[in-house]
Amino acid sequence: GINAEYGGGERIQMEHNSDTNQLAKLLLRIEEEKPSSEMIQLIFDILVGGSHSQIKQVLNKSLVRLVNPEAIKILFHFLPYCQLARQLEILCDVGKIINHSLLNLEACRSISLLDNLLDLLPKHKDVLFDKTLYVIKILGKYNIEVKEVKKCFSILKHYYTLGQVKFEFD
């Protein structure tokens, strides 16, 4: 779940997906459905338990551990409300962070992040679709369940029949 401490030492703990979705909706309402850079930064800070801007600088040099993986779901909830460049930045940063260690991959598996990403995939187009597939690929290489494989193939088959996706294997 999400553990966060606010100003007066007040702690909030969110354990369930519905709690995370409610928090995301509340934050969007507060932000008038236009998440500010500061709000996205705050969610990243909660995600990694520190300053995300500093973490971007050390990501290639040292371990960055997900402290509150549920915060990724909030970031993904924000995606449709952000400009394309911000959406790509969020997906890229999340991909780098989760790919940084097995602990991060396991944390994402424990919150069923791959399934959530597969739900987002049909809503994304072009470069955003490709970046979402990149994050799905990272998670899928670590762990994928049969239901997720079926869902993934169903989505890809749909896009393949429309001529919008080409299969490349590496």
Side-chain angles (χ1 to χ4, degrees), residues 9-153:
E10 178 184 351
R11 290 195 61 74
I12 292 181
Q13 187 170 15
M14 307 194 83
E15 294 296 334
H16 304 289
N17 194 30
S18 63
D19 292 340
T20 304
N21 287 336
Q22 288 175 354
L23 177 59
K25 289 176 184 177
L26 175 64
L27 293 173
L28 274 173
R29 240 183 283 142
I30 291 169
E31 293 282 309
E32 298 176 355
E33 296 192 354
K34 294 179 183 168
S36 65
S37 296
E38 293 81 13
M39 179 61 72
I40 291 170
Q41 181 68 43
L42 174 66
I43 301 303
F44 266 111
D45 290 350
I46 291 169
L47 175 68
V48 296
S51 173
H52 175 247
S53 58
Q54 291 174 347
I55 287 176
K56 283 179 94 167
Q57 296 170 359
V58 299
L59 192 56
N60 296 325
K61 300 174 192 162
S62 64
L63 179 65
V64 175
R65 184 164 179 256
L66 292 179
V67 176
N68 295 298
E70 287 281 342
I72 294 175
K73 292 181 179 181
I74 295 171
L75 288 169
F76 288 167
H77 194 87
F78 284 0
L79 284 177
Y81 301 93
C82 297
Q83 293 181 359
L84 179 61
R86 174 63 71 172
Q87 292 176 5
L88 291 170
E89 181 183 350
I90 289 170
L91 284 167
C92 186
D93 287 352
V94 166
K96 287 178 186 176
I97 291 169
I98 64 175
N99 199 29
H100 201 66
S101 78
L102 289 176
L103 290 173
N104 292 350
L105 287 164
E106 177 57 27
C108 291
R109 188 213 50 80
S110 73
I111 63 163
S112 303
L113 187 62
L114 181 57
D115 197 46
N116 290 152
L117 268 174
L118 289 170
D119 290 339
L120 283 177
L121 194 59
K123 299 172 187 170
H124 293 174
K125 301 197 181 345
D126 302 324
V127 70
L128 196 57
F129 182 88
D130 293 342
K131 190 55 77 175
T132 306
L133 274 180
Y134 162 75
V135 179
I136 288 171
K137 181 179 170 182
I138 291 169
L139 292 169
K141 282 183 175 182
Y142 175 71
N143 182 305
I144 190 164
E145 296 178 13
V146 173
K147 70 176 183 152
E148 294 165 337
V149 171
K150 288 179 179 181
K151 186 187 269 187
C152 186
F153 280 131

